[in-house]
């Protein structure tokens, strides 16, 4: 029992299929998800992998076909009323009453949950929406809608925040802001579950991640551990590529030629690469370490068996990488 | 309770509902204006024209009346019928007062009918009811039609128009819930209050409590406004306790119906999620079931179960419908008769109430289990 309370979210064999015209489509297929208490937890997967479906089931918006889920040790959706005050969530795009102002929307929610009106001003200020609070929700930009949604979740001062693709459609400044919001929430001891199909967005802020593909969990753990399991690569610019390739292969490296640039995989120490080449009288004009990151792990795990969805994965925050640098090929 | 407070607040804030409230007032005002027009005395020139007609007829009968009667009797003899059967009576060729000639004035109340002596007659052809075979015996008239004068009184006019406010209650309920179902705002709401039954009842009761004052003001303005309008023309007529009781009872029952309609509307909004779909279903129901089957095709077995029949019965304290029935009689051959059937207030209330309960409970059941997108 005590062990279970270490988990903010835990699901076992969670399964959901949707009835469609073509028959049944699988949303989530036997998902076992564990989200520890505290910190930011990334919930990653390509489009259509079942992230939103999972979140909806956790919040009791849709019913699972089978399996079980717990939030802070409470069976959901059965005991959801007991924990709902500790959970704030944004599912997909924020949906409020379009004809009401942002403030009116929050005031209605505050009335509904019995939170004092003063809280409304506080959360509006917290997300920087005070000035536009009187405008109709309908007239908000995407970023303002997201902020209002975050403000709404803060009305409850929850212990667990669930953000489903919170940076969808935001500009870089907005993305950065949301990231720092998530970080500061986690630093205040709250648990943040953030789903995304954009890896770079989550990688920088997440402490732990779960990766799903086609409705099942493919990896779960600390970011550092997942990266550790992956290999590191460097890119070399050198005049005599064939001699360099020969030398490196002889030294035990896997080498690829990427449009005149050599990509060396399985590198533990880049200085060793330099030395191997120098020993043969070969000198580098440039050596760029390819940041080994979650992305390669992600693509490795979701790329091949994804339902043709891997190409939809975007690389936000991947400024350090060059085009054509497909981590997947390193595998 | 908190949820209900939030829903009532949302009710008041909704622009569309404010417009419906304004529309309700406008309609109520129009009913009163209509009553003013209705109760206006006949214009002078029209009275003068009718007076001229009347005078001419009086003069004609005074001069030729005897001759007319004689001709008539001769014709009757030719046809082999009695004078009465051919309609050759003294009264047929005499003119009453001018008041009878121009008809009764439009008044808000009505005089109590004089008790009729003698055997009960069929309302259709005057045959004593006792002489008819059992299958052709009419049920006694109920509601407005049971009281001579009530149907065309001002009270009768108002009660006939009150179903409009019930319809407005329904529309209010639908718009209150359907929009948030289709906009998806409900899914956000449910992440704050996941107990679906509570959410449902807070919305249904919010719709009822919100509609109550609108319908109350609308019905009161229509009813009391009409009363006042008749008063402006000094045409109150007889408004005794009987008349007031009937009038107030009708308005009170219409108010109850409007509030219940709001709950049904809110349920339909939650169930069908789009105002347009609800409108389609409601209009479709009235066109197919109520109009085509009930009225055009005269499926008389359905009549007592039509919503329209029962709503009228509920508001007007009962209503009647007629069916032509024929029986083959040993002595007289086939005889046909328009037979009257009564639908009581209680019948109306029970049928409408049962429909409301079924629709609402079905909506709760569906909403409790449904996946919210
Ligand atoms: N209401 C629905 N009806 C039918 N199928 C659905 C429905 N919602 C989701 N699905 C299907 O379930 C699968 C998982 O969808 P889900 O929205 O959970 O994915 P996701 O991981 O959130 O994707 P994204 O990154 O695009 O948001 C998809 O194949 C989707 O087509
Ligand atoms: Mg999604």
């Amino acid at each position: 029992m005590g062990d279970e309370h270490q988990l903010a979210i835990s699901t076992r064999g969670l399964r959901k299929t949707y009835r469609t015209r073509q028959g049944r489509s699988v949303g989530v297929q036997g998902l076992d998800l564990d989200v520890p208490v505290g910190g930011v937890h990334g919930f990653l997967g390509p489009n259509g992998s079942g992230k939103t479906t999972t979140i909806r089931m956790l919040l009791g918006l849709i019913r699972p076909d089978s399996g079980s889920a717990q939030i802070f040790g409470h069976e959901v959706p059965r005991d959801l009323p007991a924990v709902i005050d500790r959970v704030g969530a944004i599912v997909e795009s924020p949906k409020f009453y379009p004809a009401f102002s942002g403030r009116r929307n929050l005031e209605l929610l505050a009335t509904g949950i019995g939170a004092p009106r003063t809280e409304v001003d506080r959360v509006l200020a917290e997300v920087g929406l005070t000035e536009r609070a009187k405008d109709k929700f309908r007239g908000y930009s995407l970023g303002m809608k997201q902020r209002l949604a975050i403000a709404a979740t803060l009305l409850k001062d929850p212990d667990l925040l669930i953000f489903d693709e919170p940076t969808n459609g935001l500009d870089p400044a907005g993305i950065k802001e949301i990231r720092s919001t998530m970080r500061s929430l986690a630093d205040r001891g709250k648990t943040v579950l953030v789903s995304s199909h954009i890896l770079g967005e989550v990688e920088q802020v997440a402490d732990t991640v779960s990766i799903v593909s086609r409705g099942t969990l493919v990896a779960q753990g600390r970011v550092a551990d997942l990266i550790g399991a992956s290999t590191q690569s460097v890119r070399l610019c050198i005049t005599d590529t064939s001699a360099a390739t020969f030398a490196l292969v002889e030294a035990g490296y896997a080498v690829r030629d990427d449009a005149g640039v050599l990509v060396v995989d399985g590198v533990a120490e880049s200085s060793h690469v330099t030395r191997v080449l120098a020993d043969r009288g070969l000198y580098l004009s440039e050596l760029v370490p390819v940041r080994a990151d979650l992305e390669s792990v992600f693509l490795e795990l979701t790329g091949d068996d994804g339902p043709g969805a891997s190409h939809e994965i975007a690389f936000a925050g991947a400024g350090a990488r060059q085009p054509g640098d497909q981590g997947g090929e390193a595998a | 309770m908190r949820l209900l407070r939030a829903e009532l607040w949302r009710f008041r804030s909704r622009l569309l509902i404010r417009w419906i409230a304004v529309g309700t007032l406008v309609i109520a005002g129009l009913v009163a204006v209509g009553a003013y027009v209705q109760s206006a005395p006949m214009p002078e020139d029209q009275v003068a024209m009718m007076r001229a007609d009347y005078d001419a007829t009086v003069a004609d009968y005074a001069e030729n009346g005897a001759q007319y009667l004689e001709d008539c009797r001769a014709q009757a003899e030719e046809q082999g019928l009695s004078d009465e059967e051919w309609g050759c009576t003294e009264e047929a060729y005499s003119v009453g007062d001018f008041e009878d000639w121009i008809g009764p004035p439009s008044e808000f109340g009505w005089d109590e009918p004089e008790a009729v002596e003698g055997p009960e007659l069929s309302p259709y052809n005057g045959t004593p009811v006792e002489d008819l075979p059992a299958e052709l015996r009419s049920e006694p008239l109920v509601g407005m039609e049971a009281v001579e004068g009530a149907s065309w009184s001002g009270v009768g006019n108002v009660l006939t128009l009150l179903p409009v406010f019930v319809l407005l209650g329904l529309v209010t309920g639908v718009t209150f819930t359907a929009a948030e179902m289709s906009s998806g705002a409900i899914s956000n709401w449910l992440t704050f209050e996941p107990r679906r039954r509570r959410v449902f009842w807070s919305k249904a009761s919010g719709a009822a409590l919100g509609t109550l004052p609108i319908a109350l003001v609308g019905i009161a303005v229509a009813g009391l406004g009409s009363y006042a309008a008749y008063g402006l023309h000094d045409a109150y007529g007889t408004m005794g306790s009987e008349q007031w009781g009937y009038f107030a009872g009708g308005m009170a029952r219409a108010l109850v119906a409007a509030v219940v309609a709001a709950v049904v509307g809110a349920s339909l909004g939650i169930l069908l999620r789009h105002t347009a779909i609800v409108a389609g279903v409601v209009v479709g129901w009235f066109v197919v079931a109520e109009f085509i089957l009930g009225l055009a095709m005269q499926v008389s077995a359905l009549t007592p179960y039509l919503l329209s029949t029962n709503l009228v019965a509920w508001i007007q304290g009962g209503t009647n419908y007629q069916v032509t029935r024929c029986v083959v009689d040993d002595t007289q051959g086939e005889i046909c008769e328009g037979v009257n059937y009564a639908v009581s207030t209680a019948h109306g209330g029970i049928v409408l109430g049962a429909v409301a309960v079924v629709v609402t409970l079905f909506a709760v059941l569906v909403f409790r289990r449904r996946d919210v997108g």
Side-chain angles (χ1 to χ4, degrees):
Chain A
M1 264 329 268
D3 195 23
E4 268 171 19
H5 286 281
Q6 298 301 304
L7 294 174
I9 296 172
S10 159
T11 75
R12 287 294 169 269
L14 206 56
R15 192 181 141 80
K16 173 75 186 179
T17 54
Y18 292 101
R19 241 173 269 142
T20 60
R21 287 206 186 93
Q22 291 82 35
R24 289 198 159 263
S25 97
V26 176
V28 169
Q29 208 164 21
L31 186 71
D32 299 332
L33 181 71
D34 285 322
V35 177
V37 168
V40 177
H41 189 89
F43 188 30
L44 293 165
N47 291 130
S49 54
K51 303 180 297 291
T52 302
T53 302
T54 305
I55 290 171
R56 286 219 167 97
M57 283 191 280
L58 288 171
L59 296 168
L61 295 175
I62 60 178
R63 298 176 165 261
D65 299 342
S66 58
S68 64
Q70 295 187 334
I71 295 180
F72 293 124
H74 293 270
E75 200 64 38
V76 291
R78 199 193 61 209
D79 295 334
L80 203 51
V83 279
I84 198 72
D85 289 345
R86 298 175 64 193
V87 183
I90 310 173
V91 187
E92 284 192 334
S93 53
K95 284 164 189 147
F96 289 90
Y97 297 110
F100 290 165
S101 69
R103 166 185 294 276
R104 172 61 53 90
N105 267 297
L106 293 188
E107 285 172 338
L108 279 173
L109 287 169
T111 309
I113 62 170
R117 292 276 175 83
T118 48
E119 283 294 278
V120 171
D121 293 314
R122 180 182 68 79
V123 297
L124 279 171
E126 196 158 329
V127 298
L129 213 55
T130 309
E131 269 176 39
R132 302 293 301 269
K134 282 207 168 109
D135 296 359
K136 285 189 176 168
F137 177 73
R138 191 192 282 142
Y140 280 2
S141 72
L142 206 49
M144 290 158 73
K145 288 179 180 175
Q146 292 285 13
R147 287 179 203 210
L148 186 69
I150 292 175
T153 62
L154 298 178
L155 273 178
K156 302 197 247 189
D157 193 25
D159 299 322
L160 169 65
L161 290 115
I162 300 178
F163 295 142
D164 189 13
E165 317 245 357
T167 54
N168 240 351
L170 295 194
D171 57 16
I175 293 175
K176 208 170 157 210
E177 214 173 294
I178 291 215
R179 248 185 237 150
S180 69
T181 306
M182 291 193 290
R183 190 68 257 163
S184 75
L185 286 167
D187 293 345
R188 275 194 261 159
K190 306 196 180 293
T191 309
V192 179
L193 177 75
V194 53
S195 93
S196 183
H197 61 275
I198 305 170
L199 194 95
E201 170 183 294
V202 162
E203 180 186 5
Q204 299 176 17
V205 65
D207 303 303
T208 53
V209 289
S210 297
I211 301 177
V212 285
S213 172
R214 296 168 109 181
T216 45
L217 188 77
V218 291
Q220 184 160 263
R222 302 182 58 79
V223 175
D225 297 344
L226 285 171
I227 292 174
S230 141
T231 52
Q232 178 131 14
S233 307
V234 292
R235 295 168 64 87
L236 312 175
C237 287
I238 195 161
T239 16
D240 191 351
T241 50
S242 53
T245 305
F246 183 76
L248 288 166
V249 169
E250 209 177 38
Y253 291 107
V255 184
R256 289 176 286 128
D257 191 336
D258 181 14
V261 177
L262 290 185
V263 181
V264 188
D265 296 328
V267 179
E269 283 285 325
S270 49
S271 61
H272 185 247
V273 172
T274 322
R275 201 159 29 147
V276 167
L277 295 172
D279 287 350
R280 303 288 176 100
L282 298 164
Y283 293 96
L284 293 163
S285 56
E286 196 182 337
L287 182 147
V288 183
V290 176
R291 208 156 49 91
D293 52 21
L294 265 179
E295 190 178 296
S296 41
V297 181
F298 185 48
L299 284 172
E300 208 172 294
L301 293 168
T302 64
D304 296 335
D305 60 350
S310 63
H311 62 279
E312 289 172 41
I313 294 163
F315 299 98
R321 272 156 242 143
Q322 333 264 303
D325 175 18
Q326 293 283 315
E329 286 169 28
Chain B
M1 228 37 224
R2 285 183 202 146
L3 285 179
L4 179 57
R5 273 229 312 280
E7 293 298 342
L8 281 174
W9 192 16
R10 188 167 75 82
F11 188 97
R12 286 198 305 275
S13 315
R14 269 184 75 80
L15 195 63
L16 191 55
I17 286 177
R18 290 184 183 179
W19 279 113
I20 293 174
V22 170
T24 303
L25 258 185
V26 169
I27 290 172
L30 286 177
V31 171
V33 170
Y36 181 80
V37 173
Q38 187 85 29
S39 60
M42 216 179 273
E44 299 269 319
D45 51 344
Q46 206 176 331
V47 175
M49 244 164 64
M50 294 192 79
R51 165 70 71 180
D53 260 4
Y54 175 79
D55 291 343
T57 311
V58 169
D60 184 30
Y61 282 2
E63 196 180 319
N64 308 313
Q67 183 62 44
Y68 289 155
L69 196 59
E70 216 161 279
D71 293 351
C72 179
R73 282 177 178 152
Q75 274 175 15
E77 207 169 319
E78 236 167 70
Q79 300 287 327
L81 292 170
S82 76
D83 290 352
E84 280 75 31
E85 277 171 322
W86 197 242
C88 310
T89 54
E90 294 273 350
E91 297 91 72
Y93 295 102
S94 65
V95 196
D97 295 339
F98 183 60
E99 276 70 41
D100 294 339
W101 181 262
I102 61 171
S106 197
E107 287 182 333
F108 199 71
W110 65 88
D111 294 329
E112 291 305 315
E114 290 149 33
V116 188
E117 299 285 312
E120 196 188 336
L121 302 179
S122 156
Y124 302 98
N125 60 6
T127 319
V129 167
E130 283 165 48
D131 297 352
L132 290 168
E135 297 96 309
L136 300 185
R137 284 200 195 141
S138 286
E139 293 175 3
L141 288 167
V142 294
M144 218 183 262
E145 290 130 324
V147 187
E148 205 194 338
S151 306
W152 55 82
S153 68
V155 170
N157 283 341
V158 171
L159 294 202
T160 309
L161 292 171
L162 289 187
V164 172
F165 296 98
V166 179
L167 184 67
L168 284 166
L170 185 78
V171 173
T172 311
V174 174
T175 61
F176 184 55
T177 55
E180 68 175 330
M181 295 294 146
S182 52
S183 74
I186 186 70
S187 66
N188 185 46
W189 195 249
L190 288 175
T191 65
F192 284 78
E193 178 48 90
R195 283 166 288 199
R196 302 259 182 119
R197 248 179 308 181
R198 284 190 185 206
V199 170
F200 181 94
W201 290 116
S202 69
K203 289 183 187 302
S205 44
L209 289 179
T211 303
L212 179 67
I214 301 176
L216 178 69
V217 170
I219 291 171
V221 167
L224 301 179
S226 295
Y227 176 72
Y230 273 79
L232 288 177
H233 291 124
D234 212 10
Y236 288 128
T238 310
M239 282 300 284
S241 61
E242 183 94 4
Q243 288 84 347
W244 273 115
Y246 181 67
F247 181 42
M251 289 198 293
R253 286 190 302 271
L255 181 61
V256 171
V259 170
V260 171
V263 174
V264 172
S267 301
L268 287 174
I270 289 172
L271 203 54
L272 302 172
R273 291 184 255 198
H274 296 272
T275 308
I277 296 180
V278 180
V281 167
V282 171
V283 170
W285 169 267
F286 274 93
V287 168
V288 174
E290 309 263 318
F291 185 73
I292 296 183
L293 290 178
L295 293 173
M297 291 172 66
Q298 301 262 315
V299 183
S300 52
L302 289 179
T303 311
Y305 299 100
L306 296 184
L307 292 180
S308 44
T309 310
N310 285 290
L311 184 59
V312 170
W314 171 248
I315 294 177
Q316 298 184 357
T319 189
N320 309 280
Y321 66 99
Q322 288 79 39
V323 182
T324 305
R325 292 205 186 283
C326 299
V327 291
V328 179
D329 188 273
D330 294 343
T331 52
Q332 302 171 59
E334 187 178 56
I335 41 174
C336 294
E337 176 81 353
V339 181
N340 184 70
Y341 294 94
V343 181
S344 68
T345 318
H347 184 282
I350 289 168
V351 171
L352 294 179
V355 169
V357 167
V358 167
V359 169
T360 308
L361 290 186
F362 183 64
V364 191
L365 217 69
V366 169
F367 182 63
R368 264 189 66 200
R369 304 196 51 92
R370 181 158 68 194
D371 285 356
V372 173

